Amino acid sequence: MIDAVLNYHQQLSVDDQSISNVLYQTIDKFLIGAVPKIWHAHPVWFINENPIVGYSKQKAGIRLMFWSGADFEEPALKAGTGKFKDASVFYISHLDVNTHDLKRWLIKSMSIQWDYKNVVKRKGKLVRLNP
């Protein structure tokens, strides 16, 4: 685990650390070619500088968010309410994390991507990538 993410985890409660550890290990193992870093104060994985997946502590629990997840057609992932293509799920226990689902979502995240890297350059317009 990279130091920046380790430092993030150490700031969490024991229960939230357990969730985050499961997420980190699964994401890092199955999201091939992705680079983890702290972005906007939370762990996020990038492929070609494009954000793919990340997690953060929220009031409702640990939020796992896929930047392009609204197009995964996965009922457990709830689409965001804005103009972007994000979708999330919340966990309150590490036992809530279904790693089978998570692996499937990670596979989808490698082929279903919107270009968030250049969204500012395109003045808010998202373009679908063909990775």
Side-chain angles (χ1 to χ4, degrees):
M1 185 177 298
I2 63 171
D3 288 342
V5 175
L6 181 61
N7 291 338
Y8 176 84
H9 284 204
Q10 290 173 339
Q11 305 301 314
L12 300 171
S13 71
V14 172
D15 289 339
D16 290 340
Q17 283 184 36
S18 294
I19 298 165
S20 297
N21 286 337
V22 170
L23 294 175
Y24 182 91
Q25 291 168 4
T26 308
I27 294 167
D28 207 55
K29 181 177 180 179
F30 290 96
L31 194 58
I32 299 163
V35 176
K37 64 181 177 179
I38 297 295
W39 191 50
H40 297 287
H42 303 94
V44 177
W45 279 255
F46 293 79
I47 295 177
N48 296 327
E49 301 179 43
N50 198 42
I52 303 300
V53 63
Y55 53 87
S56 62
K57 172 65 179 159
Q58 308 272 312
K59 196 178 256 187
I62 298 293
R63 177 185 185 209
L64 174 68
M65 186 180 91
F66 287 90
W67 266 255
S68 301
D71 288 342
F72 292 3
E73 298 180 1
E74 292 283 346
L77 292 174
K78 303 304 177 206
T81 58
K83 62 182 177 178
F84 297 115
K85 301 290 185 174
D86 62 297
S88 305
V89 63
F90 284 87
Y91 301 111
I92 56 172
S93 166
H94 72 280
L95 299 173
D96 296 334
V97 181
N98 182 325
T99 55
H100 179 73
D101 288 347
L102 179 52
K103 291 173 194 176
R104 187 176 62 253
W105 301 338
L106 291 167
I107 291 167
K108 288 183 177 188
S109 75
M110 289 185 276
S111 61
I112 301 171
Q113 292 180 29
W114 289 85
D115 186 8
Y116 286 95
K117 173 182 151 186
N118 296 303
V119 72
V120 173
K121 188 188 314 182
R122 290 192 178 105
K123 300 179 180 167
K125 183 177 184 221
L126 277 177
V127 173
R128 178 90 182 253
L129 294 175
N130 295 316

